[in-house]
Amino acid sequence: MLGAYNDLYARWQADPEAFWADAAKAIDWFEPPAAILDDSAKPLYRWFPGGSVNTAWNCLDRHVEAGRGEQDALIYDSPVTGTKTRFTYRELRDKVAELAGALAAKGVVKGDRVLVYMPMVPEALFAMLACARLGAIHSVVFGGFAAKELATRINDAKPKAIVSASCGVEPGRTVAYKPLLDEAIELASFKPDFTLILQRPMLAASLVPGRDFDWAEAVRGAAPADCVPVASTDPLYVLYTSGTTGVPKGVVRDNAGHMVALAWSMKNIYGVAPGEVFWAASDVGWVVGHSYITYGPLLIGATTILYEGKPVGTPDAGAFWRVIEEYGCKVQFCAPTAFRAIKKEDPDGKLLEKYDISGLRTLFLAGERADPDTVQWAERMVKVPVIDHWWQTESGWPMAANLVGVELLPVKYGSPTRAVPGYDIRVLDNEHNEVEAGEIGSIVVKLPLAPGALPTLWQNDDGYIRSYLSDFPGYYKTGDAGYIDEDGYLFVMSRTDDIINVAGHRLSTGGMEEVLAYHPDVAECAVIGAADALKGQVPLGFVVLKAGVNRPEAEIEKELVKLVRDKIGPVAAFKTVTVVKRLPKTRSGKILRGTMRKIADGEKWSMPATIDDPVILDEITDSLRSVGYAKDSAA
Ligand code: COA
Ligand code: AMP
């Protein structure tokens, strides 16, 4: 007999369009779709063509009309500022309508882009939802990125407006956002018409007359804006994510497919019901923040928590337990790195004794590989199922998971369990053949992708096809490598490109190399991601200096660390770089980054047959040892 998961997956496979047509009933349509899937422009697909919707309506207004007006929609808990606030669905709708009115009064209309560069404050959600209300397309940029990264995104998205705040608050320091924004606008070749700046009490930003407007003044007395109907396939947002170069990719999310998928996932994957409290401890600047702080919970009428703090140090490693208890959180979602941080500070869970987290039903982990140690430790702490699940900015919602709302399958440590309906996941070799169970290969997804997954890159269909759809015709390339075992469980092992995952944050080592190469003393460089007990991975840089440079190496190394922080941002966590005489290369000149990484991590490695000069690897090993890596490395 089929289990509920198998049954559901088979039902989707048998008739995907009927499956999603049924799921689409969970949202309100101004106009129902003319078809479920448009596959007339393969390999590009569009879900629910011909329909008309509004995402803010579905997240807010319809719940107020259905009697949820007095229920909490958003709980803001900010240990870094000592603030706690709640917004009911009615209050949140009114705040969003007011801000949308202010943006509309300044000329923002359907289809315009609005860049959102905000810390974890309620206004960040107001801004996203206000854009959705107007049919404008938001592009949220994570606060830990530097001005240059912001400028790249301004140039690509060409926003009419930028909404930002005077500062973010990191433990122990205030991060002034406005100077970064000013510098980004200066650097960018495209200029926005205006900015709206939220003045936070910790730091006042100076405003450029005629360009910068004070948020509070702009919304005061603004006429609330109504929801503007948009086409199902119109973009709701563009979210930039690291690609293989320093140029980020603008992942597009449509309106209808996104809503259908997220609403479906809240019930079937996360097992959350309307009215329950759901907490994704991420940042609105990442896809997790988009899907599961803002849109997912609100789409189904749940309560979402916006937490401006860290798992440790704000004030201690009991912070997560406190939030779970205080708000009766039923389901939590965070990156494994957060639990590694808690485990490091409080390995025996002493702080947990102070709190009652018995209301918690499930803990979900994603964003990076969930190592079995961390999962098992988390299980001992929370005493409820700990579910690893796998997805990426591009998919927008889980591609592999244990569908708690359907059937809890046995957990296999190290695996995010099985494919989610909507995703036909395969593992292929370089000749595009499917490998045997248990064999490692490229993880791909058969087209079309599920609703909610990216239909394309922002104004760049060719780039989308080139980057994701060309290597394995008929499939979407995830960029991850791994295997599927004989029970159909997926194991995600590594990336096939230069992307690394630092504390759940996705970064490109290629982008860091571009920054290092910029230094006048650097002739050549390489950046690898080395294993890190807390952050999963951290970047390590190697530079070869130009002939004739004889300044102290330590001085240059310090400048390089600062350069990456200034150009990419503190989030890169780029702290270690060493000067080496030469980089190991193949005879054709390709830098052997993979071998360097294995040496750094103390993994067994073999001398590449094509290596130009094997002695260089000894030099690299010595250099890695000098900075605390390559401890047990042996060829
Ligand atoms: N604005 C400005 N700076 C920021 C920032 C923001 N929004 N977010 C992070 N930074 C800075 C940090 O202050 C830190 O700066 P530092 O080098 O001066 O210390 C740097 O960027 C690195 O930040 P982070 O990776 O968060 O490391 P951390 O040492 O401050 O904290 C953890 C470590 C594990 C506690 C933290 O990474 C964490 O909570 N991770 C969860 C990850 C997550 O939510 N991922 C989202 C995907 S689900
Ligand atoms: P992002 O786009 O920032 O969400 O990062 C997506 C990438 O993070 C994926 O392509 C994987 O490399 C990695 N990742 C996310 N979740 C998992 C997981 N559960 N297990 C292993 N890797 C993961």
Side-chain angles (χ1 to χ4, degrees), residues 1-201:
M1 202 188 80
L2 289 179
Y5 162 81
N6 281 332
D7 194 12
L8 188 73
Y9 196 82
R11 187 154 69 75
W12 165 72
Q13 272 185 314
D15 192 346
E17 293 193 35
F19 184 94
W20 291 117
D22 190 41
K25 293 180 190 145
I27 66 163
D28 275 9
W29 300 79
F30 297 133
E31 279 296 326
I36 302 304
L37 179 67
D38 173 5
D39 61 1
S40 61
K42 283 179 187 164
L44 303 178
Y45 297 84
R46 293 284 186 273
W47 286 98
F48 307 111
S52 166
V53 289
N54 183 283
T55 295
W57 169 269
N58 274 283
C59 287
L60 302 169
D61 304 59
R62 67 163 172 161
H63 299 313
V64 177
E65 296 207 349
R68 273 187 201 285
E70 309 323 311
Q71 181 203 307
D72 284 339
L74 169 64
I75 295 171
Y76 169 54
D77 186 294
S78 169
V80 291
T81 62
T83 320
K84 293 174 187 177
T85 327
R86 291 164 183 253
F87 299 87
T88 63
Y89 268 95
R90 187 185 309 283
E91 287 165 339
L92 186 57
R93 181 202 58 185
D94 292 347
K95 288 281 184 195
V96 168
E98 185 183 59
L99 177 61
L103 289 170
K106 294 199 178 309
V108 174
V109 295
K110 177 163 137 178
D112 284 341
R113 273 79 59 215
V114 176
L115 195 135
V116 179
Y117 185 56
M118 300 279 287
M120 288 285 283
V121 291
E123 287 80 358
L125 270 74
F126 302 171
M128 295 165 83
L129 290 158
C131 290
R133 197 168 191 87
L134 296 174
I137 301 162
H138 62 70
S139 187
V140 184
V141 179
F142 176 61
F145 280 125
K148 186 174 162 287
E149 291 289 324
L150 195 50
T152 311
R153 288 154 174 82
I154 293 173
N155 281 337
D156 196 67
K158 300 188 174 46
K160 180 173 272 181
I162 300 184
V163 284
S164 188
S166 56
C167 65
V169 184
E170 283 292 290
R173 75 190 159 103
T174 303
V175 184
Y177 276 29
K178 186 61 180 15
L180 294 172
L181 179 59
D182 289 341
E183 190 189 337
I185 295 176
E186 183 70 34
L187 284 172
S189 50
F190 180 88
K191 311 289 177 197
D193 285 2
F194 71 94
T195 80
L196 211 56
I197 307 294
L198 177 75
Q199 297 282 15
R200 299 187 78 186

Side-chain angles (χ1 to χ4, degrees), residues 241 286-288 365-370 388-394 416 478-480 492 494-495 501 504-506:
T241 189
W286 307 118
V287 69
V288 178
L365 301 176
E368 56 172 330
R369 186 175 154 74
D388 177 16
H389 61 325
W390 169 75
W391 50 298
Q392 46 185 202
T393 306
E394 290 86 343
T478 66
D480 285 328
V492 182
S494 60
R495 290 286 303 184
N501 212 308
H505 310 315
R506 172 168 158 182

